[in-house]
Structures are given as structure tokens and as C-alpha cells.
């Protein structure tokens, strides 16, 4: 199974250790997310979406559009 976190990491020339530090998680946890051995919680996915300037849907393969959605005014 493809993994968008791995694709984003490689596209940004980051190591797995650097990506783990971005979300304040262990390197082993990050590796498990990349290998699809575990599903990252929503708060972790949100951290990566913000870091990579993309949407949670893009990371979850719900869209192939990497641009984030515009914020809605309340």
C-alpha cells in the first residue's frame, strides 16, 4: 500500500527522524505510520498537513489535490 507520509517526506528531503521530531513522536512510531503498521491519530495527521501545507484528505488519499482547502469565514 502506498503511503502519502513517505511520499511527502521524500519530496521534502527529510529523514524519518526529522519527521518524527516535527510531530513530537518517536522515530519508531513514525516508521510504523509510514509502513502502514499503525494508523496515525488525527492530531498527528493534522500536524503533518499543516507542516506540508496540504490537506488531511490529501494525506489520507481522499483526494489527489495537494493544495489545502480555503478556510471558511464564520
Amino acid at each position: 500500500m502506498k503511503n502519502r507520509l513517505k511520499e511527502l517526506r521524500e519530496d521534502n528531503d527529510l529523514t524519518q527522524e526529522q519527521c518524527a521530531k516535527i510531530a513530537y513522536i518517536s522515530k519508531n512510531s513514525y516508521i510504523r505510520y509510514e509502513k502502514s503498521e499503525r494508523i496515525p491519530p488525527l492530531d498527528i495527521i493534522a500536524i503533518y498537513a499543516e507542516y506540508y501545507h496540504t490537506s488531511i484528505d490529501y494525506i489520507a488519499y481522499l483526494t489527489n489535490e495537494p493544495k489545502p482547502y480555503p478556510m471558511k469565514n464564520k
Side-chain angles (χ1 to χ4, degrees):
M1 178 177 175
K2 292 174 126 184
N3 189 294
R4 193 81 79 182
L5 285 177
K6 182 176 181 180
E7 292 174 8
L8 289 165
R9 176 180 63 79
E10 290 175 345
D11 289 347
N12 286 274
D13 297 320
L14 297 171
T15 66
Q16 291 175 326
E17 186 172 355
Q18 289 171 315
C19 287
K21 287 180 180 180
I22 290 166
Y24 302 99
I25 59 174
S26 71
K27 180 180 173 184
N28 286 337
S29 290
Y30 181 81
I31 290 170
R32 287 185 181 105
Y33 298 152
E34 241 189 45
K35 289 182 174 182
S36 298
E37 292 175 359
R38 296 196 69 192
I39 297 172
L42 185 57
D43 60 329
I44 299 297
I45 295 171
I47 290 169
Y48 289 120
E50 185 174 354
Y51 181 84
Y52 291 123
H53 305 287
T54 192
S55 69
I56 291 171
D57 286 353
Y58 181 73
I59 293 174
Y61 281 93
L62 297 174
T63 182
N64 287 322
E65 177 58 52
K67 289 174 41 179
Y69 302 113
M71 295 291 284
K72 291 183 179 180
N73 294 330
K74 291 186 176 184

